[in-house]
Amino acid sequence: MAQLYFYYSAMNAGKSTSLLQSAYNYEERGMNALLYTAAVDDRAGTGVISSRIGLEREAQLFSATTDLFAEVLGMSHTQRFHCLLLDEAQFLSKEQVGQLCRIVDELAIPVLAFGLRTDFRAELFAGSQYLLAWADKLVELKTVCHCGRKANHVLRVGADGQPIKEGAQVEIGGNDRYVSVCRKHYIEALARP
């Protein structure tokens, strides 16, 4: 039975690596994996899922206007897919998470979505909010703070390394812009003048 999975974490927990490993596992067994990534994040190139350990793979793009159900339904007329793997799931809209549910329920294709739970203000992204509410299975991927505790928050930092407290929810960046920390160090960093 197909299910909707949401693999979530702070940054640098290996979400993209896990997604790419899942694709490999399916394909090693002769199954077709359909990969998607967010058009807004082109750090590794347009339509590329890339991990920090050097793995990468081409993927379909989704944007705010993509109807994922219609696209997958259209593609499934010419090719059978055994799973849909979606990176940067935090950028999905409420409607798109509903479309993923339809892919699972109506097309019987398992969906594994990977993304951040919260932004740099410790607030849910829309995609994450509805995945947390509607997914069949929730899996937290863990990473660590510099102190050794589990990192569950993300700090946005400026060029000077100081935390940024305000700004747009979405600002694409990597280790140069974001640091994963535990709640204690998140609160302490934001309390500094």
Side-chain angles (χ1 to χ4, degrees):
M1 177 169 68
Q3 294 188 321
L4 173 57
Y5 297 82
F6 181 37
Y7 295 83
Y8 66 91
S9 70
M11 289 190 69
N12 299 328
K15 293 178 298 298
S16 297
T17 302
S18 293
L19 181 153
L20 294 169
Q21 180 67 53
S22 294
Y24 178 83
N25 291 347
Y26 273 93
E27 291 165 351
E28 184 179 43
R29 289 160 183 82
M31 299 180 198
N32 293 321
L34 176 60
L35 280 65
Y36 269 91
T37 191
V40 68
D41 186 355
D42 61 0
R43 288 174 292 158
T46 303
V48 176
I49 296 173
S50 176
S51 71
R52 291 176 297 119
I53 64 170
L55 302 174
E56 66 179 34
R57 178 90 182 268
E58 289 186 12
Q60 301 290 322
L61 291 174
F62 74 87
S63 68
T65 60
T66 303
D67 183 332
L68 292 162
F69 180 79
E71 280 196 13
V72 173
L73 178 62
M75 287 187 274
S76 68
H77 292 306
T78 58
Q79 185 174 5
R80 180 168 184 224
F81 295 106
H82 295 89
C83 69
L84 187 155
L85 305 171
L86 189 137
D87 203 20
E88 305 294 351
Q90 69 271 11
F91 297 132
L92 293 166
S93 66
K94 176 181 180 181
E95 293 75 21
Q96 288 170 321
V97 175
Q99 293 161 14
L100 295 180
C101 292
R102 288 186 67 200
I103 291 167
V104 169
D105 297 339
E106 297 175 32
L107 304 180
I109 299 172
V111 174
L112 288 70
F114 295 77
L116 297 172
R117 183 180 62 164
T118 57
D119 65 13
F120 76 105
R121 298 171 297 191
E123 295 178 9
L124 291 170
F125 286 94
S128 303
Q129 176 184 347
Y130 290 100
L131 283 163
L132 287 167
W134 298 343
D136 299 298
K137 303 277 185 184
L138 301 173
V139 181
E140 181 181 24
L141 301 175
K142 295 174 181 69
T143 189
V144 294
C145 178
H146 60 84
C147 70
R149 290 187 184 105
K150 180 177 86 168
N152 54 8
H153 286 68
V154 177
L155 286 172
R156 181 183 287 169
V157 296
D160 59 0
Q162 295 302 308
I164 296 174
K165 301 174 186 178
E166 299 294 327
Q169 183 179 47
V170 176
E171 185 177 311
I172 303 301
N175 293 345
D176 59 324
R177 298 287 295 146
Y178 295 97
V179 178
S180 293
V181 294
C182 66
R183 180 179 51 240
K184 177 183 181 215
H185 286 111
Y186 178 82
I187 292 168
E188 286 177 2
L190 293 183
R192 283 186 233 138

